[in-house]
Amino acid sequence: MPVVSLAKVVTSPAVAGDLAVRVPFIYGKRLVSNRVSFGKLRRRSCIGQCVRSELQSPRVLGSVTDLALDNSVENGHLPKGDSWAVHKFGGTCVGNSERIKDVADVVVKDDSERKLVVVSAMSKVTDMMYDLIHRAESRDDSYLSALSGVLEKHRATAVDLLDGDELSSFLARLNDDINNLKAMLRAIYIAGHATESFSDFVVGHGELWSAQMLAAVVRKSGLDCTWMDARDVLVVIPTSSNQVDPDFVESEKRLEKWFTQNSAKIIIATGFIASTPQNIPTTLKRDGSDFSAAIMSALFRSHQLTIWTDVDGVYSADPRKVSEAVVLKTLSYQEAWEMSYFGANVLHPRTIIPVMKYDIPIVIRNIFNLSAPGTMICRQIEDEDGYKLDAPVKGFATIDNLALVNVEGTGMAGVPGTASAIFSAVKEVGANVIMISQASSEHSVCFAVPEKEVKAVSEALNSRFRQALAGGRLSQIEIIPNCSILAAVGQKMASTPGVCATFFNALAKANINIRAIAQGCSEFNITVVVKREDCIRALRAVHSRFYLSRTTLAVGIIGPGLIGGTLLDQIRDQAAVLKEEFKIDLRVIGITGSSKMLMSESGIDLSRWRELMKEEGEKADMEKFTQYVKGNHFIPNSVMVDCTADADIASCYYDWLLRGIHVVTPNKKANSGPLDQYLKIRDLQRKSYTHYFYEATVGAGLPIISTLRGLLETGDKILRIEGIFSGTLSYLFNNFVGTRSFSEVVAEAKQAGFTEPDPRDDLSGTDVARKVTILARESGLKLDLEGLPVQNLVPKPLQACASAEEFMEKLPQFDEELSKQREEAEAAGEVLRYVGVVDAVEKKGTVELKRYKKDHPFAQLSGADNIIAFTTKRYKEQPLIVRGPGAGAQVTAGGIFSDILRLAFYLGAPS
Ligand code: ADP
Ligand code: ASP
Ligand code: MG
């Protein structure tokens, strides 16, 4: 267990002088805080309010396993310390001659007294060098033409950049190197194999060439600049785990010696390459130039290490995977280490320890965007009261191509040495264990290894535990391929309860299954293993949940007719406010009608959706549409909004919910359709984290379903729900007064657009019956539409009329019956109302024309309003009444819209 300790300045950074420093030592999970008084604290401002301190004594410790730097070597010729600035330029920064010029410019403009620049090979060159070896090893003589490619790339770059003696001496050296490489590759070709030191020698040439070219370009500005072959200075000790450990003492000695012969104000050093103690060329392994730069920074005790790359800094997640990722202003050393270890390849994980020892801040900057301030990596910043600033979770990273190995069995519990036996078997095959998790029951040990190593691991374990498996002490060694790791990183997670809950909640809501969990003992990291295909979605779900990006919902709209169209317009008008004020990002990524559909991953431009649908719409295909809405990889949550009245679409809900797609709808068909299907949907919805909202199925935008739910959830008991649920029928009976005939009122309503095109669709009572069924089921009754007695207001002889026109023409012949009923009611001081009733006591429902006293709330309705009275155990004397317009495109779309927002809040948008 490496011991990491860090010092935190508790006094305001503005105060210099004698300071008290609290040093928490982290031993495994224990955190012990000591208050120690130190001598003078030298401090220096870096970016923003970050402060770098260098303690005279005692020093801040690094990892004991990684550092053996002898601090006494301070008095040679090399002027160490603050006068040095160290820069590292990655491969993309020196990708071509123009970029090398830009880099030289940055180096020249840095006004530090002394500069040490570590440079990578030109981009792709290291890959090309490895490729040469592979070709030669496989006896493919195309390595020769590939080598010519390497030569030509560097020759052309040098010709662009240099002239005169600088050019000729570089080209002479380049040609020599290429000739040597040719001989070496020939040897590899003949042997059919390259030893590690052969291959390290070959691949390191990219850095040798880029460093020499850059040094020559800097010299062109008349500055004192030399280059350093880091193999003359950096000494590293190869370890068994295919890594190398720096030998700081030896390196420091060699650096002193080197500097006596090469002192210059600007040194351009090769990244990546080094020597073993036996002077054999080696490398710091892939992407190792960051590590080289960190070691150099420590050797020179520089005041800062600037790592230049092609992004604006460390992002909250890999910007190639999460478009909403943000650049982090600051990161603590620990956070940066965890991020890089778990896959943020912007920084090599071993970069941290060498600089942390001397409290040297690292700044990550973008060579292509000099105006961006970059990310500062330093000791954790606190405010004056010792509070750690920043969010609990800083960022997320992922590692792909992993396999989980699960070793399971009852014989493991309480048997010492099982874990050791497992991991020594794994070590024997040289596999790298990335994460380990063991349940406290000791019933199983599970760990993640790179996919390419899992076969060997599995064989080694099966052979090591053959007897235990045969004897039943181990039940299985299970391999779960195609996995990825997702890690959340943040120093403040350690002291903030609930971070895990939020993290897992976000994953659950995106319907992502977690295969294994580990929390690093430092508590700076929570790691989960998920299926590889879920990984990007998982990353985006957690990223958006922690406010690093807005709560984003992928919305698919089905049926852009009157209601769907109005909804799209409402979303268009409200989108900006939702984004700004509520952090909700609704992206309508698909719209489908019955013949055409339109899709766009970044969101359809809602100011033009009608034109776009016509111009760019493709043939509608429900399965393709569903896959698109769900399968998009940018947005963690998807919702289908069914604005049709179609039973076929309603029959898809179960499948959508099963696939983790939320459903919002005003379509009554699912909830009033066959009872078993309804129960299946509700059952699934309750078991999963997928949501199904249908407020607009009853009373459009009026809060009817939500009121009913609120009553039930808080323990009230529904006795009766009675109401006027149809705007049309409300209008008809509210206006069926005085001497007017019923047919006259129907004609007037039809004219005003208050009825369906065929008014019989309203008068039949089916629509009301569906609403009664929905409310009855919501109240827990198992009612079916078929069994519900419905009074049909269409006179029997007219039910078979071929057209609406014929019906309207003949309706006056039947006015008498209703007029008679109205007069009778009036004589008794009552009115007629067409109502739906859910009788929860008798467990039945009805739809009928009933009489109400003139002072009853139902009698005082006007226009096309709905009114619904809930009689419950709590609201027994006076029912709870909801009243208001219950039909019309605007209010219905508004009801659907509010369900979509409710979903966003459920998914974590701030309320
Ligand atoms: P260099 O060649 O300069 O060392 P790398 O390719 O090694 O550059 O690292 C930079 C790349 O790291 C970026 O282009 C980016 O795509 C990737 N990356 C992954 N995760 C992150 C992250 N969290 N923040 C920034 N960049 C990241
Ligand atoms: N050139 C080396 C590589 O590509 C080292 C580095 O660029 O960091 O792996
Ligand atoms: Mg890199």
Side-chain angles (χ1 to χ4, degrees):
M1 169 68 53
V3 180
V4 179
S5 79
L6 59 150
K8 295 187 286 183
V9 183
V10 288
T11 315
S12 161
V15 184
D18 280 302
L19 293 180
V21 174
R22 193 174 56 226
V23 184
F25 295 91
I26 297 163
Y27 279 92
K29 251 187 130 98
R30 243 156 32 95
L31 192 125
V32 190
S33 182
N34 288 344
R35 215 178 152 80
V36 192
S37 197
F38 290 107
K40 279 255 188 285
L41 181 76
R42 280 202 282 134
R43 26 158 236 95
R44 202 167 295 101
S45 300
C46 308
I47 283 185
Q49 52 168 312
C50 183
V51 164
R52 176 200 163 209
S53 64
E54 192 174 319
L55 301 169
Q56 303 297 294
S57 166
R59 287 196 177 280
V60 181
L61 294 173
S63 151
V64 290
T65 54
D66 216 355
L67 276 184
L69 192 52
D70 178 356
N71 294 318
S72 64
V73 192
E74 294 245 334
N75 46 7
H77 297 280
L78 179 64
K80 290 178 197 158
D82 289 349
S83 59
W84 287 97
V86 174
H87 293 266
K88 179 261 169 175
F89 293 93
T92 41
C93 304
V94 290
N96 58 39
S97 51
E98 280 312 304
R99 292 187 182 171
I100 295 177
K101 279 187 211 160
D102 293 340
V103 166
D105 215 36
V106 170
V107 174
V108 170
K109 283 189 181 139
D110 175 354
D111 57 9
S112 304
E113 196 184 333
R114 295 186 171 85
K115 293 169 264 195
L116 184 279
V117 175
V118 175
V119 68
S120 288
M122 292 175 74
S123 73
K124 309 257 163 50
V125 167
T126 311
D127 291 338
M128 290 165 92
M129 303 307 279
Y130 275 110
D131 181 53
L132 292 176
I133 295 167
H134 294 146
R135 286 180 202 228
E137 274 185 327
S138 34
R139 305 221 163 91
D140 172 355
D141 51 22
S142 66
Y143 75 84
L144 283 169
S145 56
L147 184 62
S148 306
V150 172
L151 168 66
E152 185 44 32
K153 184 179 173 89
H154 290 87
R155 200 196 58 77
T157 310
V159 168
D160 271 356
L161 291 170
L162 310 174
D163 38 40
D165 288 351
E166 288 281 19
L167 178 62
S168 40
S169 79
F170 176 77
L171 289 180
R173 165 92 199 234
L174 177 66
N175 283 321
D176 273 1
D177 288 344
I178 294 286
N179 284 334
N180 285 338
L181 286 173
K182 208 178 274 171
M184 193 154 236
L185 289 164
R186 174 80 189 145
I188 295 172
Y189 180 92
I190 292 167
H193 174 70
T195 63
E196 199 181 329
S197 48
F198 262 43
S199 121
D200 276 354
F201 176 79
V202 172
V203 298
H205 276 75
E207 271 73 9
L208 290 170
W209 298 322
S210 61
Q212 290 174 72
M213 285 192 285
L214 179 60
V217 179
V218 173
R219 276 195 298 270
K220 274 173 92 176
S221 327
L223 295 174
D224 172 25
C225 175
T226 188
W227 81 284
M228 175 199 279
D229 178 345
R231 293 174 302 187
D232 297 337
V233 171
L234 268 192
V235 178
V236 295
I237 303 158
T239 68
S240 53
S241 52
N242 192 33
Q243 295 214 353
V244 293
D245 284 339
D247 181 341
F248 282 96
V249 177
E250 185 56 29
S251 301
E252 193 135 19
K253 278 188 194 142
R254 292 194 186 190
L255 176 61
E256 289 284 351
K257 189 165 158 231
W258 184 91
F259 198 78
T260 50
Q261 292 153 9
N262 297 279
S263 72
K265 289 275 171 75
I266 306 175
I267 302 168
I268 313 286
T270 54
F272 187 44
I273 56 176
S275 291
T276 66
Q278 295 74 35
N279 295 322
I280 297 166
T282 185
T283 68
L284 303 192
K285 312 302 163 198
R286 288 315 304 258
D287 296 317
S289 294
D290 295 342
F291 188 21
S292 306
I295 302 169
M296 289 293 185
S297 252
L299 291 175
F300 283 88
R301 317 284 199 271
S302 74
H303 72 261
Q304 182 168 301
L305 165 59
T306 311
I307 295 188
W308 295 86
T309 182
D310 60 350
V311 282
D312 281 353
V314 181
Y315 279 80
S316 49
D318 188 337
R320 293 166 298 193
K321 293 178 178 161
V322 181
S323 53
E324 286 97 351
V326 294
V327 179
L328 301 169
K329 272 200 196 120
T330 59
L331 274 178
S332 71
Y333 290 124
Q334 283 77 8
E335 288 169 336
W337 184 84
E338 299 268 359
M339 285 281 282
S340 58
Y341 179 77
F342 284 98
N345 58 334
V346 63
L347 196 70
H348 190 285
R350 299 195 68 188
T351 317
I352 303 298
I353 299 293
V355 295
M356 190 168 119
K357 170 162 181 170
Y358 294 102
D359 226 350
I360 300 169
I362 306 176
V363 183
I364 311 285
R365 292 198 57 189
N366 189 351
I367 188 82
F368 305 108
N369 181 13
L370 297 180
S371 62
T375 299
M376 161 76 73
I377 300 167
C378 55
R379 283 191 302 155
Q380 195 175 30
I381 304 166
E382 294 177 354
D383 69 6
E384 280 139 46
D385 302 322
Y387 282 114
K388 294 166 192 155
L389 303 175
D390 279 329
V393 176
K394 285 290 198 57
F396 301 92
T398 54
I399 311 177
D400 283 331
N401 301 327
L402 298 177
L404 264 187
V405 181
N406 188 26
V407 183
E408 215 172 282
T410 42
M412 282 164 66
V415 181
T418 311
S420 147
I422 293 172
F423 293 110
S424 65
V426 175
K427 180 175 173 277
E428 269 158 33
V429 295
N432 179 25
V433 177
I434 294 167
M435 186 212 93
I436 305 172
S437 165
Q438 180 185 356
S440 61
S441 71
E442 297 184 49
H443 182 71
S444 74
V445 173
C446 143
F447 56 94
V449 292
E451 193 110 58
K452 61 180 186 325
E453 289 166 4
V454 73
K455 191 163 170 274
V457 169
S458 160
E459 283 165 7
L461 288 173
N462 274 296
S463 125
R464 172 73 183 71
F465 291 106
R466 185 165 297 129
Q467 213 179 319
L469 283 162
R473 278 178 289 126
L474 282 191
S475 55
Q476 62 167 344
I477 295 169
E478 185 193 5
I479 306 294
I480 306 157
N482 300 324
C483 290
S484 293
I485 273 184
L486 165 65
V489 171
Q491 195 146 353
K492 216 178 140 190
M493 289 197 315
S495 53
T496 314
V499 177
C500 270
T502 313
F503 180 77
F504 291 122
N505 207 7
L507 291 173
K509 282 176 174 169
N511 210 29
I512 284 159
N513 188 29
I514 299 168
R515 305 301 306 248
I517 302 171
Q519 174 172 324
C521 71
S522 64
E523 292 188 58
F524 296 164
N525 174 311
I526 306 168
T527 305
V528 294
V529 177
V530 297
K531 274 197 276 177
R532 188 169 53 210
E533 71 228 46
D534 286 342
C535 185
I536 291 190
R537 220 158 42 78
L539 175 65
R540 288 176 181 153
V542 292
H543 188 271
S544 85
R545 180 61 187 88
F546 281 89
Y547 297 96
L548 297 172
S549 66
R550 299 180 176 94
T551 306
T552 310
L553 262 176
V555 185
I557 305 269
I558 303 157
L562 181 61
I563 290 171
T566 309
L567 172 67
L568 284 163
D569 293 342
Q570 289 182 355
I571 296 178
R572 174 199 62 205
D573 296 342
Q574 192 62 9
V577 176
L578 288 176
K579 256 190 203 168
E580 285 317 308
E581 288 181 21
F582 299 96
K583 310 247 179 285
I584 297 170
D585 188 351
L586 294 185
R587 292 204 200 153
V588 178
I589 64 163
I591 302 174
T592 181
S594 49
S595 59
K596 275 189 162 188
M597 64 181 184
L598 179 69
M599 295 179 298
S600 157
E601 200 166 65
S602 54
I604 295 166
D605 175 359
L606 293 186
S607 63
R608 302 177 51 232
W609 69 267
R610 288 183 176 84
E611 294 99 284
L612 290 172
M613 195 85 184
K614 271 194 210 113
E615 290 158 16
E616 293 169 23
E618 57 182 279
K619 191 169 169 296
D621 175 339
M622 204 42 164
E623 181 48 34
K624 199 170 160 195
F625 187 79
T626 309
Q627 269 179 19
Y628 190 82
V629 172
K630 177 64 187 168
N632 78 79
H633 280 296
F634 287 96
I635 305 169
N637 300 293
S638 313
V639 56
M640 286 284 211
V641 183
D642 172 18
C643 299
T644 71
D646 194 327
D648 284 345
I649 307 277
S651 69
C652 300
Y653 297 175
Y654 183 82
D655 175 53
W656 292 343
L657 292 166
L658 203 61
R659 289 157 85 163
I661 309 175
H662 308 285
V663 179
V664 168
T665 187
N667 180 354
K668 291 180 270 293
K669 294 288 158 56
N671 283 14
S672 61
L675 181 64
D676 56 337
Q677 276 182 34
Y678 164 81
L679 292 174
K680 233 174 97 187
I681 292 177
R682 293 306 307 272
D683 191 43
L684 172 65
Q685 178 225 335
R686 287 203 178 107
K687 281 189 199 139
S688 69
Y689 278 88
T690 348
H691 300 284
Y692 172 42
F693 294 135
Y694 41 84
E695 180 65 87
T697 52
V698 183
L702 295 179
I704 294 170
I705 306 274
S706 50
T707 302
L708 176 53
R709 277 205 178 166
L711 294 170
L712 290 168
E713 282 163 7
T714 56
D716 203 350
K717 197 169 169 331
I718 304 295
L719 302 174
R720 184 180 179 86
I721 306 170
E722 182 165 351
I724 297 172
F725 293 106
S726 155
T728 314
L729 287 155
S730 173
Y731 180 90
L732 294 179
F733 286 97
N734 294 343
N735 289 284
F736 182 36
V737 288
T739 56
R740 304 184 76 189
S741 68
F742 190 66
S743 62
E744 192 186 324
V745 185
V746 174
E748 177 188 274
K750 184 174 182 333
Q751 188 71 26
F754 285 154
T755 67
E756 293 294 324
D758 186 338
R760 284 177 297 179
D761 290 342
D762 298 304
L763 296 172
S764 69
T766 312
D767 181 65
V768 177
R770 286 194 182 279
K771 290 170 180 166
V772 168
T773 308
I774 293 171
L775 291 177
R777 288 176 177 178
E778 197 70 28
S779 314
L781 306 188
K782 295 208 163 82
L783 285 194
D784 241 331
L785 190 62
E786 282 71 39
L788 201 74
V790 179
Q791 182 175 349
N792 191 337
L793 293 181
V794 182
K796 257 224 166 76
L798 299 188
Q799 287 174 8
C801 283
S803 69
E805 287 67 36
E806 188 192 338
F807 164 73
M808 289 303 289
E809 206 182 289
K810 294 188 176 158
L811 187 61
Q813 298 167 19
F814 298 87
D815 275 340
E816 204 174 310
E817 168 60 24
L818 273 178
S819 294
K820 205 173 121 222
Q821 283 193 39
R822 181 187 61 192
E823 277 151 26
E824 279 171 17
E826 218 164 82
E830 291 175 346
V831 296
L832 293 179
R833 293 291 182 257
Y834 192 75
V835 296
V837 178
V838 176
D839 185 338
V841 181
E842 296 295 322
K843 299 195 183 344
K844 59 177 198 183
T846 50
V847 176
E848 59 191 328
L849 197 58
K850 282 184 61 176
R851 284 164 44 169
Y852 291 87
K853 285 272 173 239
K854 284 218 164 117
D855 60 355
H856 190 275
F858 287 12
Q860 285 148 30
L861 226 50
S862 60
D865 278 5
N866 281 190
I867 186 163
I868 294 91
F870 296 92
T871 309
T872 72
K873 218 169 98 196
R874 285 184 201 140
Y875 294 94
K876 206 165 180 177
E877 303 309 318
Q878 286 294 329
L880 188 161
I881 288 182
V882 180
R883 172 188 166 164
Q890 286 295 342
V891 290
T892 307
I896 306 166
F897 197 1
S898 96
D899 267 354
I900 299 175
L901 296 184
R902 188 199 317 242
L903 174 63
F905 292 124
Y906 271 49
L907 296 175
S911 57

